[in-house]
Amino acid sequence: MSNNTLKVPFKVSARTAKLIGLENFSTEEGAIIELVKNTYDADATNCILIFDLKYHNEKIISSEGVVIENRKIDKSISTIYIIDNGVGMCGNIIQNQWMTIGTDNKLYEYTTENGRIKTGAKGIGRFALNRLGMLTNMLSIPQLIVKEEDDDISTIDNSENLGFEWTVDWKDFDVKGAVVSDIEALLTERENINLKEELITKYSSFTRIQQLINKTDFTSGTIIEISELNDEWDEDKLNKLFSNLEMLLPPEEQKDFNIDFFLLNNLEEYGQVKRAFYDDFDYKINASYENEILNVEILRNELDIEVLENRYSGIFDFDIMKKYPYRLEDFKKDTIKFTLPTSELLSDKIDKDMLKRIGKFDFTFYFLKNTISDDQDDVKKYPYKNINSANRRAWLRKFGGIKIFRDDFRIRPYGENGDDWLRLGERQAQSPGGAGQRLGGYRIRPNQIAGTVKISRLNNTSFQDKSGREGLIENDEFELFKNILLEIISLFEKDRNVVMNSLFRLNSIRNLDVEMLRIGLKEAERIRKQKQERAEKPKNDDEPNSEESTDYSDSEEQMADTIFILEKSNEKKDEELRLLRGLASVGLIISSFAHEVRSLRARLVPRTKFLLSELKKHLDEVKLSEELDQDDNPFYMINLMRDEDIKLKHWLDYSLSTLKIDKRERKNLDFSKYFENFKANWSKALEQRNISLELKKEDDEEHTVRAFEVNMDSIFNNLLSNSINAHYGYNKEGKKIEISWKKNENNIEIIFSDNGKGLDGKYKDMPEEIFNLNESSKTDNKGNKIGTGLGLYIVKSIIEEYNNSSISILKIDEGLTFKISFKIRK
């Protein structure tokens, strides 16, 4: 090197170093999780997260010019604490490792003193502190103190309880022209520090936190205090963080690392973060892979074994069920175990070297069906255990999917928010058959599985993080790894498929009529499909029939069409039946609580009357009305409450009137009396909407039919309800509904009309469609249908049950008019 040549060191601007670090924590939630991982790497058994959020009211002006007070978090005085009872850091460790950006300490010393595999390796986790807030203060009490004398490095016990306080202002990194070496943190040595006493004093007003601290060993550990926060930690973010912390740890029984999460403003809201342990599953599969050998345990929990043995024992006569692991004695065992070499699991073409690079891993997953079919024939086929569908769906929504954990910490985003990284949905769509229908075609649905894959930095070195920590690099090894996982899942699918198919076959043998119906429907469908294809593509005489094509006679094709019509008719009736069951359930619920509702109704109006009476003894109503604004006057407010009570009483009167037993008895019903009562019942509701109901008896004849009053209620309540809706936002004045009736030979004709907006435009050409099931024009402002489509369907169905009586539409513009003709029995 000549005298004119210099060795020039690189420099890194402080701001760039900070930005590179921050790129690894795109979200505040990710930053918290990174710091929790650090406490795990410190051999802590407890990590406590405490959010001390302060609020202030901020005034904003709405688009209407109204001043609204909005409660917001005051980030400048709010604080996040991350506390652990790990090994702590002495001054030497803080200076030489903690302060070294990108330290390789965790890369080469990858296990902790207690044998944990460290979760981090890049040495940039401290920038998570900056992601959360602009000021950090850390107090650490180490187990050991590192001593350096000359070239000797030794450690001694921290018998003097030395503590080390480290403070950094992250804003220093943003100073123009600053390089990393210019930035300094303050490090202070403190004597006789007792971490537990410090924490108990700090949280003396919070019993729940004190109880946790008292039972936790804090001989050593670290308190990190982050202030001048960067983020608005609203309720949604806190809930999401807590939920993600629950999924951070594998769903197994509690191990040696606990996380507690507290919000000082509301200590009861959160608490200990529990793992996703669940025991209400249909299948549980444990698989361990090492050195090209797979050990599998299958635990079946879907069927009632006693019922299987006593009522379905016929399945064990099938050849396939006479072999392990499908024999009755195999079902009675807790688990089924077997070992498979990869040569029996994967193709011979697999690259053996690549297979070795996969490394050891464990895979556990649960299968949970969401529901048991309402089809009684289906229930009879399979002796399922009872399940709680709501609980299962809720648990799967939270913990469903296949997640990857490395050294006991989750790698995102696998299995998160429905992430189907194994493409189970695609597999199932290609083979959508059920487990019982045929052998070899069953595939699990992605919303029925929850599982964990456990890998390690030591055993799975081929799986490296992407630079942004958003998952693993998808190299060839990872692709092979996914295929092995799918093969493990297919072992479960085969097991369930064999069992369910055997039960299906047994049911077919026992229920020949049902089976014949199934086969007949299938054959009819085939005939219809072939007929349809022939109609769409005329046959070329030179073109030979396909192997599956058969020439059917006209009568066979006609029979197939008839079966199709009957099937459609049955489906429609089944749908109607389901709807009516639902409505009947609502009626039963009201009926069950009728006594309580009547008591409530009786107290509604008197209660405000008594309250006013008592208030007048102590307050001068006239004086208050002169001195106070109307909205601050208690008399005015109670009068408003009374008006609301009157409305509520009216609706309760109406609901309870439908429960009267005599309404469900067939009797002579005089329409003149009926409509007078009908008008009285609806008077309050119509009055509130400024709608007048006019009744017109057009002759002096008798207008009596034999009918159930409850049926007439269903007809005219539905028509009236539609008319009320037709007036909404249409007429401001002169809203009118009119009912007239007269005798016409052997009919009683009723004209029901309103002057509302008339029929929706889509029914102009075919107005009779409004009587169809599920037909409704009621939508929200986004076009979502909100009407049930039941009202007019029920009206028409009931009318037609009365000796072929009828309903027709007379007018559809500027109002709607119906004509109902009830036949009079001679």
Side-chain angles (χ1 to χ4, degrees):
M1 188 167 56
S2 71
N3 291 334
N4 295 329
T5 305
L6 296 173
K7 286 187 176 180
V8 183
F10 282 99
K11 293 181 181 178
V12 179
S13 85
R15 189 167 179 279
T16 301
K18 191 176 92 167
L19 289 175
I20 291 172
L22 288 177
E23 274 188 3
N24 288 276
F25 310 105
S26 56
T27 66
E28 59 276 27
E29 183 190 325
I32 291 279
I33 288 172
E34 182 67 22
L35 295 171
V36 171
K37 287 181 178 179
N38 280 350
T39 68
Y40 177 84
D41 289 348
D43 270 340
T45 57
N46 290 75
C47 171
I48 306 172
L49 297 173
I50 298 175
F51 280 67
D52 184 8
L53 302 179
K54 310 293 186 189
Y55 295 86
H56 68 279
N57 287 331
E58 186 179 88
K59 289 185 178 178
I60 58 173
I61 301 175
S62 70
S63 55
E64 290 82 19
V66 180
V67 177
I68 301 170
E69 284 205 343
N70 193 20
R71 189 169 180 256
K72 290 194 70 176
I73 293 169
D74 190 337
K75 295 187 289 187
S76 64
I77 54 173
S78 295
T79 312
I80 298 172
Y81 295 93
I82 298 165
I83 302 163
D84 73 71
N85 64 343
V87 293
M89 290 185 289
C90 67
N92 184 288
I93 299 290
I94 291 174
Q95 288 184 61
N96 297 320
Q97 295 180 16
W98 179 254
M99 290 287 290
T100 303
I101 297 169
T103 178
D104 53 7
N105 165 264
K106 288 186 179 180
L107 185 62
Y108 297 108
E109 296 177 21
Y110 44 77
T111 57
T112 68
E113 290 295 321
N114 289 337
R116 287 178 179 172
I117 309 295
K118 293 178 182 176
T119 59
K122 294 184 177 178
I124 50 178
R126 63 276 288 127
F127 281 108
L129 299 168
N130 179 214
R131 174 63 187 80
L132 296 169
M134 299 309 292
L135 207 60
T136 303
N137 181 270
M138 178 176 74
L139 175 62
S140 193
I141 316 297
Q143 278 183 357
L144 300 171
I145 302 290
V146 176
K147 292 284 185 185
E148 287 189 47
E149 291 182 4
D150 298 329
D151 292 333
D152 291 335
I153 299 176
S154 60
T155 55
I156 60 171
D157 288 338
N158 185 14
S159 56
E160 296 178 357
N161 294 325
L162 293 177
F164 298 87
E165 189 168 357
W166 177 84
T167 304
V168 65
D169 187 341
W170 295 98
K171 293 188 288 293
D172 291 346
F173 279 76
D174 297 324
V175 174
K176 186 178 179 182
V179 294
V180 170
S181 55
D182 294 338
I183 311 301
E184 293 179 334
L186 300 177
L187 180 62
T188 308
E189 184 175 311
R190 293 171 55 186
E191 296 179 347
N192 292 321
I193 299 295
N194 185 317
L195 203 56
K196 181 173 280 193
E197 286 181 3
E198 293 255 342
L199 289 169
I200 288 176
T201 304
K202 192 174 186 65
Y203 298 107
S204 57
S205 305
F206 304 95
T207 309
R208 202 172 169 197
I209 298 177
Q210 269 202 337
Q211 288 172 345
L212 175 63
I213 292 168
N214 272 325
K215 67 180 183 183
T216 306
D217 178 12
F218 274 106
T219 308
S220 62
T222 301
I223 304 172
I224 293 177
E225 177 182 345
I226 305 163
S227 51
E228 295 185 23
L229 302 186
N230 292 326
D231 303 286
E232 294 276 353
W233 285 95
D234 57 22
E235 188 180 348
D236 287 345
K237 282 187 181 177
L238 291 168
N239 286 338
K240 189 178 175 192
L241 173 62
F242 188 71
S243 177
N244 271 299
L245 287 169
E246 284 183 312
M247 291 185 280
L248 185 65
L249 307 173
E252 298 169 358
E253 295 75 6
Q254 206 73 12
K255 285 190 170 179
D256 60 347
F257 183 64
N258 300 298
I259 304 172
D260 289 85
F261 182 79
F262 295 106
L263 180 64
L264 289 190
N265 314 68
N266 186 359
L267 278 187
E268 300 303 318
E269 183 67 24
Y270 303 105
Q272 187 178 26
V273 177
K274 294 179 179 174
R275 294 173 189 242
F277 179 71
Y278 197 65
D279 58 1
D280 180 23
F281 52 83
D282 290 321
Y283 267 81
K284 180 181 179 183
I285 286 79
N286 291 316
S288 298
Y289 174 81
E290 186 173 12
N291 296 329
E292 300 181 36
I293 297 293
L294 186 69
N295 289 299
V296 181
E297 290 183 3
I298 296 179
L299 200 162
R300 300 177 179 131
N301 192 42
E302 185 171 19
L303 304 177
D304 187 322
I305 304 302
E306 271 190 44
V307 178
L308 186 72
E309 181 177 10
N310 291 304
R311 291 172 44 203
Y312 296 82
S313 59
I315 64 167
F316 299 107
D317 294 332
F318 296 141
D319 289 344
I320 197 168
M321 298 294 287
K322 290 178 180 176
K323 302 172 187 171
Y324 181 84
Y326 302 111
R327 302 164 303 181
L328 178 59
E329 56 265 38
D330 300 325
F331 277 85
K332 291 183 176 179
K333 292 176 184 173
D334 288 340
T335 55
I336 299 158
K337 300 179 181 178
F338 53 89
T339 300
L340 278 176
T342 50
S343 57
E344 294 182 21
L345 194 71
L346 302 168
S347 162
D348 295 337
K349 296 178 181 176
I350 296 296
D351 184 332
K352 300 296 181 191
D353 291 332
M354 194 189 301
L355 198 57
K356 287 176 184 171
R357 292 197 293 273
I358 296 292
K360 175 186 175 184
F361 68 87
D362 296 317
F363 180 25
T364 298
F365 69 92
Y366 301 88
F367 162 72
L368 297 85
K369 58 181 175 297
N370 298 334
T371 182
I372 294 177
S373 169
D374 290 334
D375 186 345
Q376 287 303 309
D377 289 335
D378 209 36
V379 174
K380 287 177 187 173
K381 278 179 210 165
Y382 310 110
Y384 292 130
K385 288 182 178 177
N386 290 327
I387 64 169
N388 187 322
S389 297
N391 283 351
R392 285 190 170 198
R393 280 197 288 268
W395 190 84
L396 282 168
R397 267 199 300 275
K398 194 167 189 178
F399 299 109
I402 303 293
K403 299 177 173 64
I404 298 180
F405 290 79
R406 183 169 53 200
D407 300 317
D408 282 343
F409 275 90
R410 190 173 140 219
I411 303 175
R412 301 172 74 182
Y414 302 101
E416 186 175 74
N417 299 326
D419 174 41
D420 183 19
W421 59 284
L422 288 175
R423 297 182 181 276
L424 297 176
E426 203 173 285
R427 273 171 93 238
Q428 200 274 333
Q430 291 170 358
S431 184
Q437 291 177 3
R438 62 185 171 88
L439 281 177
Y442 168 61
R443 296 286 181 270
I444 193 171
R445 296 177 184 170
N447 63 347
Q448 294 179 323
I449 190 170
T452 58
V453 182
K454 295 173 72 174
I455 60 175
S456 167
R457 283 179 59 197
L458 295 184
N459 302 317
N460 312 98
T461 53
S462 296
F463 303 154
Q464 296 294 324
D465 286 334
K466 291 179 182 174
S467 59
R469 297 196 176 191
E470 292 294 327
L472 301 172
I473 297 171
E474 300 207 1
N475 51 22
D476 292 342
E477 288 80 2
F478 191 70
E479 194 65 27
L480 177 58
F481 175 60
K482 289 199 291 187
N483 286 324
I484 296 175
L485 296 179
L486 287 173
E487 290 298 332
I488 294 171
I489 290 173
S490 71
L491 295 174
F492 145 75
E493 290 167 335
K494 180 187 172 188
D495 187 273
R496 186 165 187 258
N497 193 193
V498 168
V499 176
M500 293 299 166
N501 181 259
S502 298
L503 287 165
F504 182 86
R505 287 165 54 205
L506 181 67
N507 180 73
S508 301
I509 294 169
R510 287 177 173 177
N511 301 282
L512 284 176
D513 290 347
V514 176
E515 182 60 12
M516 283 175 67
L517 177 63
R518 188 186 71 79
I519 294 171
L521 289 173
K522 194 174 175 183
E523 182 65 13
E525 177 60 27
R526 201 152 71 90
I527 295 172
R528 284 195 69 255
K529 189 177 175 185
Q530 188 172 309
K531 180 184 175 185
Q532 193 174 353
E533 287 173 353
R534 192 173 67 238
E536 292 171 356
K537 184 183 175 185
K539 186 179 176 184
N540 185 345
D541 291 338
D542 297 332
E543 185 181 331
N545 286 340
S546 65
E547 289 183 6
E548 294 184 357
S549 178
T550 309
D551 288 329
Y552 294 103
S553 66
D554 291 344
S555 61
E556 283 173 323
E557 290 183 345
Q558 189 175 356
M559 187 74 75
D561 289 339
T562 305
I563 290 173
F564 176 74
I565 293 167
L566 284 172
E567 270 294 285
K568 286 291 174 191
S569 174
N570 285 339
E571 284 175 11
K572 191 176 176 183
K573 286 189 180 301
D574 287 345
E575 187 178 356
E576 181 183 341
L577 198 59
R578 279 194 292 275
L579 287 168
L580 293 177
R581 279 181 191 148
L583 292 173
S585 300
V586 174
L588 284 171
I589 291 168
I590 294 174
S591 176
S592 302
F593 293 99
H595 177 71
E596 287 79 358
V597 175
R598 284 195 180 97
S599 300
L600 174 63
R601 168 187 159 275
R603 293 196 299 271
L604 274 177
V605 178
R607 65 179 181 179
T608 47
K609 184 180 174 185
F610 294 148
L611 186 56
L612 280 171
S613 173
E614 285 300 314
L615 208 58
K616 284 176 181 173
K617 293 178 184 174
H618 306 284
L619 296 173
D620 186 334
E621 184 177 1
V622 177
K623 192 177 176 182
L624 281 180
S625 64
E626 293 170 354
E627 294 176 351
L628 295 176
D629 289 339
Q630 191 179 49
D631 290 340
D632 296 328
N633 187 337
F635 290 99
Y636 174 74
M637 294 169 71
I638 293 171
N639 281 325
L640 289 180
M641 289 165 61
R642 185 193 58 195
D643 292 344
E644 295 297 318
D645 280 357
I646 290 172
K647 291 177 191 173
L648 181 57
K649 178 178 176 296
H650 163 74
W651 286 110
L652 290 176
D653 283 341
Y654 171 72
S655 300
L656 292 170
S657 72
T658 61
L659 302 177
K660 290 180 180 175
I661 294 175
D662 60 347
K663 286 198 169 195
R664 299 196 291 272
E665 293 175 353
R666 189 188 289 272
K667 57 188 179 185
N668 289 331
L669 186 142
D670 182 345
F671 276 113
S672 297
K673 288 183 182 176
Y674 175 80
F675 285 133
E676 288 297 333
N677 290 332
F678 180 76
K679 182 177 180 179
N681 282 337
W682 280 96
S683 60
K684 286 290 179 187
L686 294 172
E687 184 183 318
Q688 290 159 20
R689 290 165 173 78
N690 295 320
I691 300 174
S692 67
L693 172 59
E694 295 180 10
L695 303 180
K696 285 186 181 177
K697 181 183 174 186
E698 297 196 340
D699 58 29
D700 294 327
E701 299 285 335
E702 188 178 339
H703 309 97
T704 303
V705 293
R706 289 281 292 170
F708 295 99
E709 189 176 341
V710 70
N711 280 350
M712 296 303 115
D713 285 349
S714 295
I715 294 168
F716 293 104
N717 287 339
N718 275 308
L719 292 177
L720 191 85
S721 170
N722 282 355
S723 290
I724 291 173
N725 288 327
H727 280 299
Y728 184 77
Y730 185 69
N731 285 334
K732 291 187 178 176
E733 296 177 356
K735 299 176 183 177
K736 190 170 70 174
I737 298 171
E738 186 176 295
I739 306 175
S740 63
W741 61 99
K742 66 179 180 182
K743 189 174 179 183
N744 185 0
E745 296 181 350
N746 295 325
N747 297 315
I748 294 175
E749 284 185 3
I750 301 169
I751 305 296
F752 190 105
S753 62
D754 65 62
N755 63 343
K757 65 180 180 183
L759 210 55
D760 194 89
K762 69 177 185 176
Y763 298 114
K764 296 286 184 189
D765 295 332
M766 300 184 70
E768 301 296 326
E769 283 191 357
I770 62 173
F771 294 116
N772 292 345
L773 183 64
N774 293 330
E775 201 63 51
S776 174
S777 60
K778 285 174 68 177
T779 62
D780 62 17
N781 57 5
K782 295 176 183 172
N784 297 312
K785 190 184 281 190
I786 56 174
T788 62
L790 280 175
L792 290 176
Y793 171 76
I794 289 173
V795 168
K796 190 168 189 283
S797 301
I798 292 175
I799 290 172
E800 289 178 347
E801 284 176 3
Y802 278 82
N803 195 22
N804 288 323
S805 298
S806 64
I807 180 171
S808 55
I809 302 170
L810 299 184
K811 180 184 171 189
I812 60 174
D813 295 320
E814 297 180 353
L816 190 59
T817 303
F818 295 98
K819 183 174 87 171
I820 303 167
S821 294
F822 278 109
K823 298 277 185 189
I824 302 173
R825 286 183 185 274
K826 295 179 181 176

